[in-house]
């Protein structure tokens, strides 16, 4: 098994949690909340779905392990579905609280590019069952024609448009700490693999499968339908996972009672 998609990653995280509960048995039967941000709009729903399926398998006697009592999932400024959020980034760039990133002319131009080049490929990619080739193509085309192009227009931190690109916050001092030999030894990490905030190797693998371009809204909908308490929220300064796209994704989920649910502003 290779770490190239959120689907591939879920079993590894399950095994990690099984090892954790085996070592710290006092936590085994406690309620478990899974809180994520950004790309957690992809891996959060997938982990929740996988945990639920493994719990069911344990109950059925087909899998041996410790159930994880998943009661809640939270996602902050999540990246759920490129097909919605690529377009939302265009709107946010033209209409947000802090700065005008693109002009009216550019806004129209980017929307045309989205409809012409990006949208057809994302439709072809679809959700988790889309082919790697289709989803990888969708990711690259959308990134190059929309994300990379717009983010190059002004000097900004894509996670906080109020700041410049070389935003020193949050500081990276923790990286040096986690690479210290005594810390690596204490936590039982592999000393041959230095800690990295974002692994280029893993990122490359996810890129080749087009994982970014896939929609995890169907998976998230099933998680909500299963009765797991779900909280989705967003700050208003994040450009790449902006609140416009997050709100539209939340509205696109399918679950019982959604028509009667109200937005909290």
């Amino acid at each position: 098994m290779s770490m190239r998609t959120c689907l591939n990653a879920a079993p590894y995280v399950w095994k990690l949690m099984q090892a954790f509960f085996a070592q710290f048995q006092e936590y085994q039967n406690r309620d478990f909340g899974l809180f994520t941000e950004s790309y957690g709009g992809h891996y959060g729903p997938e982990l929740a779905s996988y945990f639920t399926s493994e719990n069911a398998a344990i109950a059925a006697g087909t899998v041996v392990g410790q159930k994880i009592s998943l009661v809640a999932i939270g996602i902050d400024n999540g990246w759920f579905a490129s097909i919605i959020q690529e377009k939302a980034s265009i709107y946010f760039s033209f209409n947000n609280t802090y700065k005008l990133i693109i002009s009216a002319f550019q806004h129209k131009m980017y929307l045309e590019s989205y409809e012409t080049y990006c949208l057809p490929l994302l439709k072809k990619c679809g959700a988790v069952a889309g082919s790697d080739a289709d989803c990888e193509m969708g990711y690259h085309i959308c990134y190059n024609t929309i994300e990379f192009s717009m983010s190059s227009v002004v000097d900004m931190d894509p996670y906080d448009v109020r700041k410049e690109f070389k935003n020193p916050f949050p500081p990276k001092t923790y990286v040096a700490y986690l690479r210290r030999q005594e810390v690596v030894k204490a936590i039982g990490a592999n000393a041959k693999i230095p800690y990295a905030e974002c692994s280029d190797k893993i990122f490359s693998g996810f890129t080749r499968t087009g994982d970014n371009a896939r929609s995890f809204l169907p998976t998230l909908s099933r998680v909500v339908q299963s009765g797991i308490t779900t909280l989705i929220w967003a700050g208003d300064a994040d450009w790449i996972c902006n609140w416009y796209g997050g709100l539209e994704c939340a509205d696109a989920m399918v679950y019982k009672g959604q028509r009667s649910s109200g937005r909290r502003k």
Side-chain angles (χ1 to χ4, degrees):
M1 183 182 293
S2 58
M3 192 83 72
R4 301 175 65 233
T5 68
C6 289
L7 272 70
N8 292 153
Y12 286 102
V13 180
W14 172 264
K15 290 178 181 178
L16 169 66
M17 294 309 304
Q18 293 299 303
F20 176 84
F21 286 129
Q23 182 67 29
F24 303 101
Q25 297 181 15
E26 63 270 28
Y27 298 111
Q28 285 184 355
N29 297 312
R30 294 191 181 187
D31 287 345
F32 187 90
L34 176 63
F35 285 78
T36 75
E37 55 87 33
S38 194
Y39 208 71
H42 270 44
Y43 67 77
E46 180 56 32
L47 290 179
S49 177
Y50 189 83
F51 285 5
T52 301
S53 66
E54 289 299 285
N55 285 342
I58 291 172
T62 57
V63 169
V64 176
Q66 171 63 43
K67 285 186 178 181
I68 298 178
S69 180
L70 182 63
V71 298
I73 178 174
I75 304 172
D76 166 31
N77 285 89
W79 184 257
F80 306 96
S82 291
I83 198 167
I84 291 174
Q85 292 176 274
E86 292 288 358
K87 186 175 183 179
S89 67
I90 301 172
Y91 185 70
F92 183 89
S93 297
F94 184 60
N95 184 13
N96 68 78
T97 306
Y98 301 103
K99 66 173 64 175
L100 188 67
I101 298 172
I102 58 175
S103 66
F105 173 78
Q106 290 172 315
H107 178 249
K108 180 181 179 181
M109 179 190 71
Y110 280 117
L111 285 177
E112 290 175 351
S113 294
Y114 169 80
E115 296 289 342
T116 303
Y117 304 110
C118 182
L119 181 59
L121 293 172
L122 293 180
K123 284 182 176 179
K124 195 173 182 181
C125 169
V128 295
S131 74
D132 290 355
D134 288 339
C135 294
E136 182 184 14
M137 179 63 71
Y139 165 71
H140 283 298
I141 294 299
C142 292
Y143 176 78
N144 289 324
T145 58
I146 297 175
E147 289 183 47
F148 177 76
S149 180
M150 281 196 299
S151 63
S152 302
V153 173
V154 297
D155 182 14
M156 67 173 185
D157 181 343
Y159 305 105
D160 186 347
V161 296
R162 299 168 298 181
K163 306 296 183 180
E164 69 280 359
F165 180 76
K166 294 184 178 180
N167 183 9
F169 183 83
K172 305 297 184 183
T173 50
Y174 80 96
V175 176
Y177 174 78
L178 289 175
R179 289 179 175 177
R180 288 166 53 177
Q181 291 184 356
E182 64 271 25
V183 174
V184 171
K185 183 178 180 180
I187 64 177
N190 188 341
K192 296 181 180 180
I193 305 177
Y195 172 80
E197 186 177 53
C198 294
S199 166
D200 290 337
K201 182 178 180 180
I202 298 298
F203 176 77
S204 177
F206 272 62
T207 298
R208 288 195 298 272
T209 62
D211 193 79
N212 180 289
R214 303 173 191 274
S215 172
F216 275 77
L217 286 180
T219 306
L220 182 57
S221 294
R222 291 194 297 272
V223 170
V224 174
Q225 291 164 10
S226 73
I228 295 173
T229 299
T230 303
L231 174 64
I232 297 173
W233 76 100
D236 68 346
D238 190 324
W239 172 78
I240 199 165
C241 295
N242 62 74
W243 70 269
Y244 287 123
L247 180 59
E248 190 172 348
C249 286
D251 285 342
M253 287 192 301
V254 178
Y255 56 93
K256 184 179 179 180
Q258 66 183 120
R259 291 182 180 274
S260 61
S261 66
R263 296 179 181 177
R264 295 186 180 273
K265 296 183 179 180

